Amino acid sequence: MSLVGQKLVGQQMERAVRPRRSSLARREAWEGYLFISPWIVGFLVFVAGPMIASIALAFTEWNLLSPPRWVGLANFQALFTDPLFWQALKVTAIYAAVAVPLDLFAALLLASLLNQKLRGIGAYRTIFYLPTILPGVVTAVVWRWIFNPEIGLINNLLALFRIPGPLWLMSPAWALPALIIMSLWTIGTATVIFLGGLQGVPAELHEAAAIDGAGPWRRFWRITVPLVSPSIFFNLITGMIGAFQVFTLPYIMTGGGPQNATLFYVLYLYENAFTYGKMGYASAMAWVLFVIIVVLTVIQFRLSRRWVYYAGGEAA
Amino acid sequence: MNATFVTPRAKIRSLSWWTRVSRYLPGLGAHLVLMLGSLVVLAPVAWMVSMSLKDVNHLFDFPPQWIPNPIRWDNYVRALTAMPFWRYALNTIFVTAMSMIGSVGSSLVIAYGFARLRFPGRDQLFLLVLATMMLPFQVTMVPTFILFRYLRWVDTFLPLFVPLFFGRAFFIFLLRQFFLSVPKELDEAARIDGCSSWGILTRILVPQVKPALAALAIFSFIWAWDDFMHPLIYINSSAKWTLTLALNGFQSPLEPGAPVIHLMMAASVVVALPPVLVFFFAQRYFIQGVVVSGIKG
């Protein structure tokens, strides 16, 4: 390639200035498309194609065994009258509304603690990140036992204080709260992102505020939070999308139960597609999921103009 | 934060014992909170390891013993021989290696195109890359499955890594950021010396972004190793299970309370160990990658 390139450039040099430049630019453009071509192919085959295909599929009934049958809007009609669909939406919405802000707040507090110059701070950072590194399946398997009412770690600890623990994953009332509590354990990624944001907050601001008599709590809300608001925004968006992707934990720990108390959206989508073989119905669900995520993301971006502060002016 | 007040020396001498101690108190308080937090965070991990070493007759002791007596190392032998562990490990290693090669290699080439070459529509296409970063794969899961089924790739490893050979949006984004921080004069000098674009990428840019490549290699290792949903969808025959599928299959016939929890925990420790070790040894690169994604996100 390089030899050919040299030859080409050499030939072009002898010509007039304008044609040479434009043909160099053409060559560069041609190369550019060549370099990104894997992405273009991947985008068409694994993103755009499936997106279009799933629109078409959403209007069919198809169990993969017999040929697909056109059913018009029947899937969507069924979806909006399906109590399990609404249950899945409710479970996911509760999780997104409670776990995401809770985890963000905990991660920001933790990051502020970890952002100090203390002896052994590196060890603390490693410890708090450790749960995030564990495979989701391992986390699910271990926590399933930790929540075990009789021999689990949590109820054993509660028993030391003579508090009778709930049935956790076996109780319709406590299963979702159990998963929300558990989500606090894996806030490592958000914490690391906050740490990166906090390192851009000048220490002088805190010192000046401290001299003016602002306590740590006040400084946290008035200085830290506004200055790391871009990181909060990033974590909020990724956390929200993540909430709509929750699968492994309920699949392994509860199977969606008891009484569908932990039937997350993607879990129900998975069951429809791969347990019941309702490909059309699952595609309709996937499209609803897509619309929900787009709408929520757009709303977040709109709202962000009111509270996200970019030190360098508008964000790129 | 606490040692920043400049106090005249004379004044320091006049300070009471308590005032001097209290200057270190915020640090002490932070240590106390962090230590307590560490205990809470480590408790489930410690519990997992502790349970994995317990004798079957001591599983349900109350109050639970953190350090088991006797320590049963043979739980690990039993857990790993209860299933064809090495077969699952090899499957997982193969899929993980292919995922790493595919996603890092292709993203490197694609990111170079976006960062260094000018072509019409480049910025719009890059916005599209960013948009796909926010698209959960579950949205396209069903048609993608049908596509792979049509190709007769279901129950093979191919669906688990072939898509990664077409670039990973997050990696493309990250590498482009790193490429943009390398002075363009380096490329131009090389180009004048007759270096092709491919040569510039492999000989000039790759050595400059080695830390980023290390971070991406670690990310792709951990994601592939931990992946559960893709293998669950695509792998049917148990001979092709990955470790995460095996761990799930290991637990499913067990009722809660049945006394095999020690074996479950031993298997869990083994499955968790490789990503944890990789993280310990390459922490710096990994954290760097996470931070960049957040700052520029």
Side-chain angles (χ1 to χ4, degrees), chain A residues 1-2 6 25 28-43 45-47 49-51 53-54 57 62 64-65 110 113-114 116 118-122 124-138 140-146 148 151-153 155-157 159-160 170 185 189 192-193 195-197 199 206-207 210-211 219 230-231 234 237 241 244-248 251-253 266 269-270 273-274 279 282-283 286-287 289-290 293 297 301, chain B residues 1 4-5 26-27 30-31 33-35 37-38 40-45 47-48 51 59-64 66 106 109-110 112-114 116-121 125 128-129 132 134-149 162-163 165-167 169 172 184 191 193-198 201 219 222 225-226 228-229 232-233 244-245 247-248 251 254-258 260-261 264-265 268-269 271-272 275-276 279-280 283 286-287 290-291 293-295 297:
Chain A
M1 204 178 192
S2 85
Q6 277 178 37
E28 188 178 335
W30 181 82
E31 270 194 352
Y33 291 123
L34 188 70
F35 272 87
I36 69 158
S37 60
W39 177 78
I40 293 179
V41 173
F43 177 78
V45 176
F46 296 115
V47 182
M51 291 292 290
S54 80
L57 280 172
W62 192 16
L64 293 180
L65 303 173
L110 180 60
L113 278 172
L114 291 175
Q116 301 175 79
L118 290 175
R119 204 173 284 232
I121 199 76
Y124 287 127
R125 287 182 190 170
T126 308
I127 289 171
F128 285 103
Y129 199 82
L130 181 67
T132 310
I133 282 297
L134 297 184
V137 178
V138 169
V141 166
V142 172
W143 278 81
R144 195 174 160 213
W145 289 99
I146 285 175
N148 184 292
I151 65 159
L153 176 64
N155 278 6
N156 271 343
L157 285 178
L160 289 181
M170 297 168 195
W185 198 54
T189 306
V192 169
I193 286 170
L195 260 174
Q199 271 150 18
H206 275 282
E207 285 154 17
I211 290 171
R219 293 202 302 265
S231 312
F234 176 82
I237 295 273
I241 295 176
F244 277 90
Q245 288 181 277
V246 172
F247 174 78
T248 304
Y251 178 86
I252 289 177
M253 295 174 72
V266 169
L269 173 57
Y270 168 87
F274 301 108
M279 292 295 161
S283 296
W287 258 91
L289 173 67
F290 177 66
I293 285 178
T297 307
F301 267 95
Chain B
M1 212 190 294
T4 45
F5 296 99
H31 267 297
V33 174
L34 286 171
M35 265 185 225
S38 303
V40 173
V41 164
L42 286 181
V45 180
W47 190 79
M48 163 173 79
M51 276 301 201
L59 289 177
F60 310 118
D61 285 358
F62 188 86
W66 284 95
S106 62
V109 173
I110 297 164
Y112 173 77
F114 277 119
R116 281 298 204 256
L117 298 168
R118 279 160 302 181
F119 50 89
L125 285 174
L128 212 53
V129 174
T132 59
M134 291 202 197
L135 183 77
F137 82 89
Q138 286 88 347
V139 170
T140 52
M141 180 170 78
V142 172
T144 310
F145 174 80
I146 291 169
L147 171 72
F148 285 132
R149 188 173 165 276
V162 168
F165 277 77
F166 297 90
I172 298 171
K184 215 176 170 189
R191 198 173 290 278
D193 290 346
C195 203
S196 68
S197 294
W198 180 256
L201 170 63
F219 273 123
I222 290 175
W225 189 275
D226 294 4
F228 178 64
M229 201 170 182
L232 182 70
I233 291 170
T244 51
L245 280 185
L247 192 54
N248 175 55
Q251 86 150 10
L254 313 171
E255 284 308 305
V260 276
I261 171 175
M264 283 297 311
M265 293 301 130
S268 298
V269 170
V271 175
V276 169
F279 173 67
F280 273 126
Q283 222 185 117
F286 186 81
I287 299 288
V290 180
V291 169
S293 76
I295 289 171

Side-chain angles (χ1 to χ4, degrees), chain B residues 159-180:
Chain B
L160 306 183
F161 60 77
V162 168
L164 295 173
F165 277 77
F166 297 90
R168 192 167 216 158
F170 173 57
F171 287 5
I172 298 171
F173 162 74
L174 218 66
L175 277 172
R176 181 178 165 273
Q177 296 297 119
F178 277 94
F179 283 154
L180 291 180

Side-chain angles (χ1 to χ4, degrees), chain A residues 265-300:
Chain A
Y265 195 94
V266 169
L267 185 59
Y268 190 48
L269 173 57
Y270 168 87
E271 284 180 350
N272 271 309
F274 301 108
T275 312
Y276 313 136
K278 290 154 82 174
M279 292 295 161
Y281 197 66
S283 296
M285 271 193 84
W287 258 91
V288 172
L289 173 67
F290 177 66
V291 170
I292 291 173
I293 285 178
V294 169
V295 168
L296 284 178
T297 307
V298 169
I299 291 176
Q300 293 291 357

